[in-house]
Amino acid sequence: MRFNRMLLSTALVVVAMVIQVSVLARLHLPGAVPDLLLLTVLGLALVYGHVGGALVGFGAGLLADLAPPADHAAGRYALVLCVVGYLAGLVKPENGRLRSATGPMAVVVAAAVGTTLLYAGVGALVGDTAARHVGLSSLLFTAALYDLLLAPFVVPGIMFLARRAENDPLAEANSAAKKTDISSGWLSSGTGLRIGSQRGGLKVKAARSKAARAGRIKGVKRL
């Protein structure tokens, strides 16, 4: 991943994690908790693609595994978000632009359900049966509902910031200036021609030829 991608992804993931722990986790809503970290990974994956989505998902999940008050095995949520980020990146639009909101909303619902199922499945493998006591069906419904309600306020903004960092108008201007300098330098050094001086020299030569012709005509008339 490029430096601007890493910097933006890190900043967005850290901000999402802080809001997740300090605000959303304290709402005490019935069932699941709105997963702002998941929505951030989805927004970045829809712009960066499957490789970038997997890397961002793994980093975000690992941060969630290590940040307090985490009560599960380290690496559990990192694995889940890595898989979800990879799969979400596979549906990235070719031109980077979304034609409608139906596709992203479907991705959010599928990711919320898939994340809950994967998290519960990995927990069953390591002996964590908390999902059984809460009720898996209730977790699936509330997770999809909360994330779907929160997604319109998060995913478009994340995608906008990611696209703006990808375009980087200052970098494009600098690269265009460098290309111009390289092309002009190649013309002057490789061919021995100077564009500005060449135009001036042609004008001087044309003026001299006109003056010589005028002198010859005057001489003929005098004879």
Side-chain angles (χ1 to χ4, degrees):
M1 298 177 67
R2 292 183 295 179
F3 178 74
N4 57 345
R5 286 189 178 188
M6 295 177 61
L7 185 62
L8 179 64
S9 301
T10 303
L12 292 176
V13 166
V14 170
V15 171
M17 187 64 199
V18 172
I19 298 176
Q20 180 79 32
V21 174
S22 60
V23 178
L24 297 180
R26 298 183 179 182
L27 294 178
H28 301 292
L29 297 174
V33 177
D35 199 340
L36 182 61
L37 201 60
L38 172 63
L39 298 178
T40 303
V41 172
L42 293 179
L44 294 174
L46 290 175
V47 177
Y48 295 157
H50 58 284
V51 176
L55 293 176
V56 173
F58 179 80
L62 188 61
L63 179 63
D65 290 332
L66 300 178
D71 56 352
H72 54 268
R76 179 177 172 184
Y77 203 48
L79 174 62
V80 172
L81 284 187
C82 181
V83 174
V84 172
Y86 179 86
L87 295 177
L90 292 177
V91 298
K92 169 192 173 184
E94 296 181 357
N95 58 356
R97 301 289 179 180
L98 297 173
R99 297 180 180 178
S100 64
T102 305
M105 294 300 102
V107 172
V108 169
V109 173
V113 174
T115 301
T116 305
L117 290 176
L118 284 175
Y119 188 81
V122 176
L125 292 176
V126 297
D128 185 4
T129 58
R132 296 180 181 177
H133 301 288
V134 177
L136 185 58
S137 59
S138 176
L139 286 177
L140 291 175
F141 176 76
T142 53
L145 178 62
Y146 296 155
D147 291 346
L148 188 61
L149 293 176
L150 188 60
F153 305 99
V154 178
V155 176
I158 297 294
M159 296 181 67
F160 171 77
L161 292 175
R163 289 198 196 99
R164 187 162 186 176
E166 285 291 289
N167 293 333
D168 198 3
L170 293 179
E172 291 181 357
N174 292 333
S175 62
K178 289 181 180 178
K179 290 180 181 179
T180 305
D181 294 339
I182 293 172
S183 60
S184 60
W186 179 80
L187 287 174
S188 60
S189 61
T191 61
L193 297 177
R194 296 180 181 177
I195 299 175
S197 61
Q198 182 184 8
R199 292 178 180 176
L202 290 175
K203 291 181 180 179
V204 172
K205 289 180 180 180
R208 289 179 180 177
S209 61
K210 289 181 180 180
R213 290 178 182 176
R216 290 176 185 176
I217 294 173
K218 290 180 180 180
V220 172
K221 289 181 177 180
R222 289 178 182 178
L223 293 176

